[in-house]
Amino acid sequence: MESELPDIYCPFPQRTNPHVGHVREHLDSWTRNTGLVHRDSARDRFEQADFGAFVGMVYPTADSKNLDLVADWFVWLFLVDDQLDDGHLGRSPDRVRDVVALMQSVVEGTGTGTLANERLPAAVVALTDLWERTTPAAPAHWRRRFARHLITYLTTATTWEAGNRADGVVPAEATYIEKRRHTGAIHVCMDLIEIVAGIEAPESIHNDPRFITALEASCNVVCWANDVYSYEKEQVLGEIHNLVHLVRHHRGFGKQQALEHVCTEIATETERFLSAEAELLAAHPQLAPMLEPYLDGMRSWMRGNLDWSRQTPRYNPADVSQYKEPEQYLEATVLGVGQD
C-alpha cells in the first residue's frame, strides 16, 4: 500500500514572481547555449519540471534580470546534483574529485582555460558564465562566503556522499543533518537572497547566533521537505542520503511513521525559525531595512520549495531518468571524451 505524505506545516503565504513567463524563455535559451540540456528527451522532462515556476516561487520579489540569474544557478545546481546523486558518476569518488577540481578552479580564479582541440564540460562552461555574472558587483566578504559555500557543496559534500555510496556506509542522523545543508547547496541559494534583494548583510549579522539559528532552521526546513517529497523516487534509485530513509534505518520505523516523524521535525524547525526571527529583529531594530527582506527571503524559500515540490513531476518514482544527461555533460575534458 502506497504511503500518503503527511501535511507539512508552513505558516507563510503563497507568492510567485510576475516575471516567470520571461524566465522560462530565458532558461530555454541559456541551457541550449551552454549545452546543459541537449537531448530531446531530457529537454522535455526539463520543461515539465518547470524550474522557472520554482525560482519564481522562492524569489517572488526579484526583478527580471536577477530572476534570470538565480534561475540559471538553479538549473546548474540541479543538473550537477542529478549527475552526482543519480548517475554512475556519483558512485565514483575519484571521478567526482576530477570533475569538481575543474569547477573549483573557476571559483578560485585558477581556471586552466581551453586548450587546443579541447572542450571543457558544459557544466564548467556554464559555471564560468554564472560566476562572471554574479560576483563583479558583490562585496568582497559576500564573494568569499558564496565561494566557500559553493566549494563546500562541490567538494566536501559531494565526495562525502560518493564515498558513502562506494563504501556502503549509512550515515548517522546527526551527521547527515549537518551535511545535508551542504549537499543540497541551500546555503548557496540563501546567499543569493542578498543579490536579489539588493542588500548587504555585514559579517557581524552573519555571526550573530540568532541569525545563524534562523538560517540553519530555514535551510533544514527546505532540505527535509525535499527529502519527504523525493523519498519514493530515491528509494527506487537506491539512494541512502534521505532523512526519511535514515529514520527508518536507524530507528526501525515503518515508512508512514518515518514520514510523519520527519514532518513533525520540519514543524519544530519552522517554529525555531520564527523564534529566532523575532529575537533578531528585536535585537537590531536599526537594521530592519536589511534584515526584513533577508528573513522574508528565507520565508519565501520555505514556502516556495514546498509549493513547487507538491506540483512538480520531478519526484515521480516512475521516471527515475529525469534530467540525467550523458556523463560527458560533466566529464568531457576530464576523461578525454568529446561532447556531441
Side-chain angles (χ1 to χ4, degrees), residues 160-231:
W160 174 74
E161 284 193 341
N164 288 340
R165 294 186 193 103
D167 297 336
V169 172
V170 179
E173 279 184 50
T175 301
Y176 173 79
I177 285 170
E178 190 277 325
K179 296 283 191 182
R180 181 67 174 90
R181 293 188 293 272
H182 299 299
T183 62
I186 187 60
H187 281 301
V188 174
C189 297
M190 293 294 187
D191 285 336
L192 289 169
I193 292 171
E194 292 190 47
I195 300 296
V196 166
I199 56 177
E200 181 180 339
E203 288 298 276
S204 59
I205 286 297
H206 281 280
N207 293 328
D208 187 300
R210 291 154 294 207
F211 181 87
I212 292 171
T213 297
L215 180 61
E216 182 182 89
S218 60
C219 288
N220 286 344
V221 167
V222 172
C223 292
W224 301 354
N226 176 267
D227 282 2
V228 168
Y229 277 90
S230 64
Y231 173 70

Side-chain angles (χ1 to χ4, degrees), residues 1 35 55 74 78 81 108 114 132 168 171 181 184 187 196 202 214 220 240 286 289 298 309 323:
M1 181 178 175
V55 75
F74 263 45
F78 269 107
D81 189 63
E108 294 179 342
T114 304
E132 291 173 349
R181 293 188 293 272
H187 281 301
V196 166
N220 286 344
I240 61 173
Q286 76 283 8
M298 297 180 196
S309 296
Y323 325 115

Side-chain angles (χ1 to χ4, degrees), residues 210-272:
R210 291 154 294 207
F211 181 87
I212 292 171
T213 297
L215 180 61
E216 182 182 89
S218 60
C219 288
N220 286 344
V221 167
V222 172
C223 292
W224 301 354
N226 176 267
D227 282 2
V228 168
Y229 277 90
S230 64
Y231 173 70
E232 294 287 355
K233 173 195 170 188
E234 291 183 344
Q235 287 296 287
V236 172
L237 291 165
E239 175 56 70
I240 61 173
H241 297 98
N242 181 294
L243 187 56
V244 179
H245 176 82
L246 294 185
V247 166
R248 293 194 68 184
H249 179 86
H250 292 299
R251 299 179 186 235
F253 287 0
K255 180 163 62 173
Q256 194 64 31
Q257 186 182 11
L259 286 165
E260 290 173 357
H261 172 83
V262 173
C263 289
T264 299
E265 292 299 304
I266 290 171
T268 299
E269 289 298 288
T270 303
E271 292 295 340
R272 193 162 74 101

Side-chain angles (χ1 to χ4, degrees), residues 260-337:
E260 290 173 357
H261 172 83
V262 173
C263 289
T264 299
E265 292 299 304
I266 290 171
T268 299
E269 289 298 288
T270 303
E271 292 295 340
R272 193 162 74 101
F273 166 83
L274 290 169
S275 296
E277 176 187 52
E279 292 173 9
L280 187 65
L281 290 170
H284 303 285
Q286 76 283 8
L287 295 179
M290 178 273 297
L291 285 173
E292 287 176 353
Y294 211 137
L295 292 161
D296 184 64
M298 297 180 196
R299 287 167 168 248
S300 296
W301 250 103
M302 289 184 276
R303 175 81 250 180
N305 174 68
L306 190 59
D307 292 338
W308 183 75
S309 296
R310 286 170 171 164
Q311 71 181 45
T312 181
R314 176 180 169 81
Y315 303 128
N316 181 359
D319 186 2
V320 298
S321 64
Q322 293 184 73
Y323 325 115
K324 286 166 64 176
E325 287 290 282
E327 289 183 13
Q328 291 93 322
Y329 152 72
L330 286 174
E331 298 185 83
T333 300
V334 177
L335 302 180
V337 180

